[in-house]
Amino acid sequence: MREIKNKKHSYILMAPYMLLFAAFTILPVIMSIVISFTYFNLLEFPRFIGWQNYSRLFLEDDVFLTAIKNTLLFAAITGPVSYIACFVFAWIINELGPKLRAIMTLIFYAPSISGNVYFIWQIIFSGDRYGIANGFLIKLGIILEPIQWLKTEQYILPILILVQLWLSLGTGFLAFIAGLQTVDRTLYEAGAVDGVRNRWQELWFITLPSMRPQLMFGAVIQLTTSLAVADVSINLAGFPSVNYAAQTIVTHLIDFGTIRFEMGYASAIATVLFVIMLGTNLVIQRLLRKVGD
């Protein structure tokens, strides 16, 4: 109690944020978990049904299993690749002069803030001869007839992964730029005295340990983005996509939550996604603790 009294001003300053965070983040998560054990269609009062929603998800809903497979595959590729790309580009750009660094940061960051730019990729992968990809391949003689890129199962997911990687240099990228700017330059001089001989050793033993908060923030952002992918799937592959080839957990959630209004079932889907995100974040925290060891 004495410690609380001594720091009461800090708690008072934190109170507005904590109240809003509890009201709009913690409480909805708890309510979603509770509702996931009920049948709730927005018209009737929720009726407790136990584990039926979860058993239906994993034992009866084949589309959900496809959505999990697509989401995990999507996250396993775009998450690490976009995370590494964000850091590598930030590391390279950080070595440039201030003006050139600002220009390059804008160029790399622009796709993530450009709004609905999916029409560009729709033109590239259009299914007729006027599509850029088809026109280019036909001109080279690689194909004779246009390919329905966004209507053919085998091509849909690779295209979505490509587009998501193009969009991935967002908030995490800026966090890495900021983290690199805050690294104490005297640490490199001290490292040279202690035996650090090249840039790779500087990166592993000085740069990365000095920006662990930014590394964690970037990892959470990239992971959350890759697991919660939906817009790129809906805009390019349609809703639903051909044979659910681009179905993800979030698009499945949108289907049951905003179209069918099966809120209990949708909450169960959201809870499964929450558990997956929480588990992967814990794994990432353990991995990042080893940086610099």
Side-chain angles (χ1 to χ4, degrees), residues 191-231:
V193 174
D194 290 338
V196 174
R197 298 301 177 213
N198 54 57
R199 294 299 301 274
W200 296 110
Q201 290 180 338
E202 284 184 356
L203 176 66
W204 183 253
F205 292 109
I206 299 175
T207 305
L208 294 179
S210 298
M211 51 182 296
R212 275 179 177 155
Q214 290 82 10
L215 292 175
M216 177 58 68
F217 177 76
V220 172
I221 290 296
Q222 297 303 120
L223 178 67
T224 302
T225 301
S226 60
L227 285 173
V229 64
D231 288 345

Side-chain angles (χ1 to χ4, degrees), residues 28-288:
V29 169
I30 295 173
M31 290 179 62
S32 178
I33 294 173
V34 172
I35 292 173
S36 70
F37 294 98
T38 68
Y39 172 78
F40 183 33
N41 59 10
L42 292 181
L43 298 176
E44 303 171 311
F45 191 80
R47 186 176 74 252
F48 181 76
I49 57 174
W51 294 94
Q52 288 185 28
N53 286 326
Y54 293 97
S55 62
R56 177 184 166 192
L57 267 179
F58 291 101
L59 300 178
E60 301 177 21
D61 193 343
D62 293 336
V63 177
F64 178 70
L65 297 180
T66 300
I68 285 186
K69 182 194 71 174
N70 289 341
T71 301
L72 293 180
L73 178 62
F74 199 93
I77 297 175
T78 62
V81 172
S82 63
Y83 183 74
I84 294 171
C86 282
F87 181 80
V88 170
F89 286 129
W91 189 35
I92 294 173
I93 290 173
N94 187 61
E95 301 298 319
L96 304 175
K99 292 184 178 179
L100 184 57
R101 182 169 62 237
I103 295 172
M104 294 303 295
T105 300
L106 178 61
I107 291 173
F108 280 96
Y109 183 63
S112 66
I113 59 173
S114 53
N116 188 0
V117 294
Y118 300 111
F119 70 91
I120 296 174
W121 293 95
Q122 288 171 347
I123 294 173
I124 293 175
F125 293 107
S126 176
D128 54 29
R129 290 179 177 271
Y130 299 102
I132 295 174
N134 279 330
F136 183 72
L137 293 175
I138 290 174
K139 186 174 182 180
L140 292 178
I142 298 175
I143 61 175
L144 299 177
E145 296 294 332
I147 297 175
Q148 296 291 325
W149 298 101
L150 299 174
K151 301 298 180 184
T152 306
E153 289 182 57
Q154 68 188 83
Y155 298 124
I156 291 177
L157 204 57
I159 289 173
L160 297 187
I161 289 172
L162 173 65
V163 175
Q164 185 62 34
L165 288 173
W166 180 72
L167 293 168
S168 64
L169 294 181
T171 307
F173 171 69
L174 291 185
F176 291 151
I177 289 284
L180 289 166
Q181 290 292 304
T182 60
V183 176
D184 188 353
R185 307 303 298 180
T186 60
L187 293 175
Y188 296 110
E189 299 174 7
V193 174
D194 290 338
V196 174
R197 298 301 177 213
N198 54 57
R199 294 299 301 274
W200 296 110
Q201 290 180 338
E202 284 184 356
L203 176 66
W204 183 253
F205 292 109
I206 299 175
T207 305
L208 294 179
S210 298
M211 51 182 296
R212 275 179 177 155
Q214 290 82 10
L215 292 175
M216 177 58 68
F217 177 76
V220 172
I221 290 296
Q222 297 303 120
L223 178 67
T224 302
T225 301
S226 60
L227 285 173
V229 64
D231 288 345
V232 63
S233 173
I234 293 172
N235 282 280
L236 291 182
F239 186 59
S241 55
V242 176
N243 288 337
Y244 300 102
Q247 188 84 344
T248 65
I249 296 177
V250 176
T251 58
H252 205 56
L253 171 62
I254 293 171
D255 183 11
F256 282 91
T258 64
I259 297 176
R260 309 188 195 197
F261 294 109
E262 295 186 31
M263 303 308 295
Y265 196 68
S267 295
I269 298 172
T271 302
V272 171
L273 180 60
F274 173 74
V275 171
I276 292 174
M277 286 184 174
L278 185 62
T280 49
N281 277 322
L282 292 175
V283 171
I284 286 175
Q285 287 182 28
R286 286 193 173 188
L287 292 175
L288 289 179

